[in-house]
Amino acid sequence: MLTKTKSTDITLWDGRAIPRLGMGCWAIGGPFYAGDVPLGWGDVDDAESIRAIRRAIDLGIFFFDTASNYGAGHSEEVLGEALAEHPDIVVATKFGFATDYATKQATGAFASPDFIRASLETSLKRLRRERIDLLQFHLNEFDPIEADDVFDTLDALRAEGKIAAYGWSTDWPERAARFANREGFVSVQHTMNVLEPVPEMIALIERENLISINRGPLAMGLLSGKFKLGDRLAANDVRSADLDWLKYFRDGAVDADFSRRLDSIRELLRSDRRTLTQGALAWLWARSPNTLPIPGFRTVAQVEENAGALEKGPLSPPIMETIERALKRQ
C-alpha cells in the first residue's frame, strides 16, 4: 500500500507549498455532447470518483482542477461532494463554455462580465465553496485585446473576495504574456508532455514566475501505455471524435506518428522501476520547476499510480538528455 507521498513542492500564490501534482477532473464529469459529438471521456461511477478523490487527498494531493462545463457541471458537483470536509484543498475551475445540465449539451462560448459572474456563482454552488482558489479563462484562442474586459472582471471578483487568483487556459504564449504582469494572474494552463514540450510557453512562464498547469500530461492517455495501434475507443469518448484539436488519437484510435515517437522513449521513461505514466510525470518535473501536471483519473488505481510518481521524483539529467536525443531522431 502506498504511504503519504513526498516530492519537491511548488509554492502557490498564497504562499502555501504543496506537492507538485494535481488531479484533473474532466473525465469524472461523465458524458456531455455538442450535438452528437462526445466531449466527455465516457461513462463514470460517481462513488468510485469520490473514493478516488479522497484517496488522492490521503496520498498528499492538494490541488484539483475542473471546469464549469465538464459533464455539463457534473464534475464540479462530484468534486464538491468529495471535498465537503476538506476546505483547505485547492480547487481550480474554469469558465467560458456554457452547457445545459438537463440535456448534457454544449450551448456556446461566452466571456461577457455578466456571464463570468453568473458562471462563477454556479461553480461556487456546485463546489460548495464561498471562494474559488483559482478561476481560469477557458477560451484558448480568445482575442487578447477583447480579453482585457475579461481580466478586468476577474480583477474585480478578486477584489470582492470571490476568487483568490486567476489564470488563462491557453496554448498561446503571447496571449498569456499580455496579462502576466497583473497581480492576480498566477498561472497558465496549457498542453505539455514529453511528446509536446512547448519550449516557448515554458520560457514565458519561467520568465514571469507563473505556475505551469500541465493539461494532457499523459497525452490523453497515450502515455499510460494502455493503448496500442488498432485499439478502438468507446463512441461516447471524446478521443473518438473528429475534432481538429485532437492529436494523439485519430478516428477513435491511436495516432501512428505519436505511437512511434512513444516507442522510441518508452523504456527511458520506465527508468528506476517507474511505470510509463510515472515516467511521463517525472519528465515534466525535470523539465521545469514551475510545472504542475494534472493527470486525469476515474479510479482509485489511477490515482495511486499517478501519486506514486512523487515517490521517485523527477527524471535524472542523463535520462532527460537521452530522451531529447531520441525524439530528435524521429
Side-chain angles (χ1 to χ4, degrees), residues 27 93 141 165 319 329:
T93 193
E141 299 185 349
I319 292 292
R329 290 195 294 267

Side-chain angles (χ1 to χ4, degrees), residues 195 222 227-232 246-264 266 330:
L195 301 175
L222 177 62
F227 302 100
K228 61 182 184 298
L229 286 175
D231 287 349
R232 307 296 301 181
L246 284 174
K247 300 177 181 179
Y248 318 112
F249 296 84
R250 296 288 182 183
D251 300 320
V254 173
D255 178 83
D257 179 59
F258 276 108
S259 179
R260 184 181 66 254
R261 294 170 66 192
L262 171 57
D263 285 342
S264 73
R266 186 183 298 269
Q330 295 302 303

Side-chain angles (χ1 to χ4, degrees), residues 20-256:
R20 207 150 44 105
L21 179 68
M23 295 289 159
C25 299
W26 183 5
I28 65 170
F32 67 116
Y33 301 85
D36 294 329
V37 178
L39 299 176
W41 290 63
D43 297 330
V44 290
D45 177 342
D46 290 346
E48 177 69 3
S49 297
I50 290 170
R51 285 191 292 269
I53 292 166
R54 292 174 177 166
R55 180 60 174 147
I57 295 169
D58 289 342
L59 293 168
I61 303 303
F62 280 85
F63 187 95
F64 292 83
D65 176 86
T66 184
S68 60
N69 65 315
Y70 292 165
H74 189 60
S75 174
E76 288 186 328
E77 288 183 333
V78 172
L79 188 59
E81 180 177 349
L83 299 182
E85 297 179 5
H86 298 277
D88 57 323
I89 296 297
V90 180
V91 172
T93 193
K94 298 181 282 292
F95 68 91
F97 292 109
T99 50
D100 184 283
Y101 186 84
T103 64
K104 301 296 183 182
Q105 284 288 329
T107 58
F110 306 94
S112 69
D114 286 346
F115 175 83
I116 295 169
R117 288 181 173 275
S119 180
L120 172 60
E121 291 301 325
T122 301
S123 292
L124 287 167
K125 182 178 180 180
R126 289 171 177 159
L127 290 164
R128 308 185 189 187
R129 298 258 164 157
E130 295 183 357
R131 183 178 72 167
I132 298 297
D133 297 298
L134 178 65
L135 185 62
Q136 303 158 97
F137 187 29
H138 205 173
L139 304 187
N140 192 336
E141 299 185 349
F142 197 80
D143 182 272
I145 296 175
E146 293 182 14
D148 285 348
D149 288 343
V150 172
F151 288 98
D152 286 346
T153 302
L154 295 177
D155 278 331
L157 291 171
R158 183 168 175 264
E160 294 165 19
K162 293 283 189 177
I163 63 175
Y166 56 80
W168 195 345
S169 180
T170 182
D171 293 309
W172 300 87
E174 62 272 23
R175 283 171 165 79
R178 181 179 176 86
F179 303 97
N181 63 350
R182 294 198 180 208
E183 182 181 355
F185 192 100
V186 301
S187 65
V188 183
Q189 183 171 147
H190 59 94
T191 294
M192 184 177 178
N193 56 62
V194 65
L195 301 175
E196 287 195 273
V198 296
E200 296 84 1
M201 181 64 85
I202 283 298
L204 165 70
I205 284 169
E206 291 183 344
R207 184 169 66 249
E208 300 294 342
N209 195 30
L210 301 170
I211 295 175
S212 165
I213 301 174
N214 313 131
R215 54 175 148 77
L218 304 180
M220 299 189 81
L222 177 62
L223 290 168
S224 71
K226 293 189 300 183
F227 302 100
K228 61 182 184 298
L229 286 175
D231 287 349
R232 307 296 301 181
L233 290 145
N236 65 349
D237 189 314
V238 64
R239 293 169 292 184
S240 70
D242 182 18
L243 296 168
D244 291 341
W245 51 266
L246 284 174
K247 300 177 181 179
Y248 318 112
F249 296 84
R250 296 288 182 183
D251 300 320
V254 173
D255 178 83

